[in-house]
Amino acid sequence: MNITKKYTVPTVLSIAGFDGSGGAGIQADTKTISALGCYAMNVLTALPVQNTQGVRNIYEIPTQAVREQLDAIFDDIYPDAIKIGMVHTIELVELISSYLKDYRGTIVFDPVMVSTSGHKLIHDDTIQACMDLLFPQATIITPNLDEVSVLVGRTIAKVQEMEKAGIELLEKGCQSVLIKGGHLQTSELTSLLFQQHASPLVFKSQKIDSKNTHGSGCSLSSAIASQLAQQFPLAEAVATALDYVHEAIKGSKDLVIGKGNGPLNHFHNPSKLIFHEMER
C-alpha cells in the first residue's frame, strides 16, 4: 500500500510595508523568500503609494489591524524566521516588540528609513524607539549607509567610517549588524558584518552599473531571514544573501520595467524547495 508522506518547508514572516509596483516591501520579500526555498507570509504595516519613480504618499495601517494580522499568522503557522521592514510609528514599534518578546526564532530587522529615491519613510521620533526596543530583539539589523548615518548621527560614506559605526551600534545593544556598502562611491563594494565578541567580517563585490536596485534592501534582509530559517549560521546566511542580491541585480541589469529605479530579478536562479518530512 502506498502511503503519501507529509512534508513541510521553512517558513518566513515578513512584517513590512506595501509596494504596488512589486519591487520592494512585502512583494519583494515574498519573491525573495519563495526563490530561496521557503514559505512566505505577510503582515502589512503600512500602505505606501509608490512606483519605480518614488513614494507619493503613505497611509497608516491601524495598530489593531497589525495585531490581528499577527494573531492570525501565529495562531496557524509559526514562523521559523521573521523579517521586519517598515515600522514608521512608535505605536507599531511598541506593538511588534511586545508581541515578539517570547518569539522562538530569528529576527532580521531592516531599519527602513529612506527609500531608494531618497524619500524619508519613518517618523523622526520613531528611530529611538526602534533602537531601544527592536534592535536588542533582532538577531541582526541591516542598515545601508543612509540609515546608519541616521542611527549614529553623522555621515557614513567610507569603509573606515563603517567600521567605527558598526562597533558603536554593537555598543548600543545590537546583537549583530550588517552595514551594507551598496551606496559606496567605489567600483568595489564592501559590506561589513559585526557580531558581539567577534572580529568584523568583510564581504566584497564588484559594483554593477544598473539603476534597477529598487527593493534591494528588502530583498537582502528577506534573503538572510530565509537562510536563517533553514538553520544556516549567521555568517553563511549573510554571505549567501549578499550573493543572491548581487546576482539578482546583475540579472535585471538590462530589464526595463517602469520609468525609474526598476526591480531586481528575484528569480534569476530559483532554488528548489527544501522539504522536511514531518514526524508522525
Side-chain angles (χ1 to χ4, degrees), residues 114-212:
V114 182
S115 69
T116 302
S117 58
H119 189 99
K120 194 166 186 180
L121 300 174
I122 189 169
H123 297 171
D124 290 337
D125 58 358
T126 308
I127 296 172
Q128 190 62 48
C130 288
M131 296 178 72
D132 291 342
L133 298 175
L134 288 178
F135 279 20
Q137 288 180 290
T139 307
I140 183 172
I141 67 169
T142 61
N144 61 28
L145 295 186
D146 291 336
E147 291 155 353
V148 80
S149 296
V150 172
L151 293 174
V152 300
R154 63 183 183 277
T155 300
I156 304 298
K158 299 178 181 179
V159 174
Q160 295 86 346
E161 296 167 344
M162 293 165 61
E163 293 173 355
K164 295 180 181 178
I167 294 171
E168 187 174 327
L169 288 174
L170 288 182
E171 292 173 346
K172 291 179 181 289
C174 295
Q175 296 183 43
S176 58
V177 182
L178 175 68
I179 299 184
K180 302 173 293 191
H183 294 171
L184 289 170
Q185 299 302 309
T186 55
S187 59
E188 184 178 62
L189 302 180
T190 300
S191 295
L192 300 177
L193 173 62
F194 300 85
Q195 302 176 80
Q196 294 285 355
H197 313 299
S199 300
L201 296 179
V202 181
F203 302 91
K204 294 183 179 292
S205 63
Q206 290 300 308
K207 191 169 189 176
I208 300 169
D209 184 17
S210 174
K211 69 174 184 177
N212 292 336

Side-chain angles (χ1 to χ4, degrees), residues 48-105:
V49 178
Q50 64 177 313
N51 56 27
T52 64
Q53 296 175 291
V55 178
R56 299 185 177 186
N57 204 347
I58 299 176
Y59 292 93
E60 296 187 4
I61 302 296
T63 304
Q64 181 60 27
V66 175
R67 177 184 293 277
E68 291 181 17
Q69 291 178 79
L70 287 166
D71 283 339
I73 295 299
F74 274 80
D75 286 348
D76 189 31
I77 310 170
Y78 198 89
D80 294 308
I82 295 175
K83 172 263 173 76
I84 302 174
M86 187 177 186
V87 284
H88 63 298
T89 67
I90 291 177
E91 292 76 17
L92 275 177
V93 173
E94 292 175 341
L95 167 64
I96 294 169
S97 174
S98 175
Y99 201 97
L100 298 181
K101 68 180 186 300
D102 296 321
Y103 169 65
R104 305 182 306 278

